[in-house]
Amino acid sequence: MFDWDDLRVFLAVARARKIAPAARMLGIDATTIMRRLARLERALGADLFEMASGERTLTVRGQALLHHAEAVESAAMSAVEDVAGLEQQLAGQVRLSVAEGFGTWVLAPGLAEFSRRHPGIRLDLITASGFLNPSKREADMALMLARPQRGRLSVKRLGEYRLHLYASVDYLARAGRPDRPAQLRDHMLVGYVPEFIFSPELDYLDEVEAGLEAHLRATSINMQYRMVRDGSGIGVLPDFIARSDPQLIELMADRVEIIRHFWLVTHEDLRKVARIATVGAWLQERVMMASR
């Protein structure tokens, strides 16, 4: 027999792929993590991980254990939710993967109110390049730009947002104002670094005019916003970032409008957990604000 709690350690390492971040996640030291993994492997008579490129990847038998360990985790969470009272249900950690721009401009301004309403929920906002995958339990929830096609996931379309071309007052005074997409070829353009676009939905310029390429590029939408605002060039920006800035002018609104959708993605096992549902309802509120 093995210690059931060792499955919690196994899950943390399987998701983090390294010992140090798993130790931080669990609040125990790395030596203890190593000792408990070794104990679990001895109890099962199987190697669960192998090293590849500095990360611990699951072996075939480790993959088999992952499926069962996640089922045990889900059952334990459901038991707590069923037995605990409402106050306990609205407590605990929720890890949410979101795009940087939405997290900065839409979610962050609402976090103070959310914390006052739900002081027991600890909300982690992850804005790393690319979305964490709820189906692999890298995150509890993700607000994605495209509907995932596979995995044991609950998927809900929350709403849409619009993007337009923007330039600063100073840039237009210096370089002139284009009134047709083809004229953008004569202007400095701001956009994403093509090799690092983690979602096809972020590849905007081809939708504006086929063959357009950005001269100044950044992986961060917040950096693109600052470049456009400071007069570096013309860029495609979400309205929820740019429309309220008096230094920015919206261009060709009648010719160029890009629409994207927000998809709330949650692992199927977590869909009915009270704190997950509470965060989901709050996200719906914030998306509605961004869509106005």
Side-chain angles (χ1 to χ4, degrees), residues 123 143 179 199 237:
L123 188 58
L143 200 61
D179 56 19
S199 174
L237 297 174

Side-chain angles (χ1 to χ4, degrees), residues 98-102 127-131 143-146 161 163 190-208 212 214 217-222 224 235-238 240-241 258-262:
V98 296
E100 178 199 23
F102 185 80
T127 60
S129 182
F131 294 102
L143 200 61
M144 306 181 79
L145 302 181
Y161 69 100
L163 306 98
V190 173
Y192 282 99
V193 182
E195 304 93 298
F196 293 95
I197 293 179
F198 59 83
S199 174
E201 285 71 25
L202 297 177
D203 193 4
Y204 306 128
L205 289 180
D206 247 6
E207 292 187 40
V208 176
L212 286 181
R217 308 186 298 192
T219 58
S220 162
I221 190 63
N222 288 333
Q224 292 178 42
V236 177
L237 297 174
F240 62 75
I241 292 179
I258 297 170
I259 299 175
R260 293 292 185 263
H261 299 96
F262 289 117

Side-chain angles (χ1 to χ4, degrees), residues 18-143:
K18 293 184 179 181
I19 296 297
R24 289 194 297 271
M25 186 186 309
L26 296 175
I28 56 181
D29 62 81
T31 302
T32 301
I33 293 276
M34 295 288 291
R35 185 173 66 250
R36 290 175 64 174
L37 279 181
R39 181 173 68 184
L40 180 61
E41 289 182 329
R42 287 196 303 271
L44 297 176
D47 293 330
L48 302 175
F49 294 96
E50 57 188 9
M51 292 297 295
S53 302
E55 293 187 343
R56 293 177 183 270
T57 59
L58 291 169
T59 62
V60 173
R61 299 181 77 176
Q63 288 282 1
L65 179 62
L66 179 65
H67 172 75
H68 296 292
E70 288 186 335
V72 170
E73 180 187 52
S74 298
M77 293 175 66
S78 296
V80 170
E81 292 293 323
D82 288 343
V83 174
L86 181 61
E87 182 176 346
Q88 290 299 317
Q89 289 180 353
L90 293 181
Q93 180 179 2
V94 176
R95 175 168 288 192
L96 171 64
S97 176
V98 296
E100 178 199 23
F102 185 80
T104 301
W105 296 89
V106 179
L107 296 189
L111 283 173
E113 179 189 1
F114 178 85
S115 295
R116 285 193 296 268
R117 285 160 55 184
H118 309 292
I121 297 178
R122 301 189 307 276
L123 188 58
D124 290 344
L125 297 177
I126 313 299
T127 60
S129 182
F131 294 102
L132 300 183
N133 191 339
S135 69
K136 297 180 180 178
R137 294 296 181 84
E138 296 172 337
D140 299 314
M141 314 171 76
L143 200 61

Side-chain angles (χ1 to χ4, degrees), residues 155-172:
V155 181
K156 178 182 179 182
R157 189 170 119 174
L158 292 189
E160 63 184 30
Y161 69 100
R162 288 170 165 75
L163 306 98
H164 290 91
L165 290 163
Y166 287 92
S168 72
V169 175
D170 290 344
Y171 176 84
L172 295 177

Side-chain angles (χ1 to χ4, degrees), residues 263-276:
W263 298 89
L264 178 60
V265 181
T266 309
H267 194 283
E268 180 64 31
D269 292 338
L270 299 177
R271 180 170 55 88
K272 295 183 179 179
V273 174
R275 65 179 180 275
I276 299 295

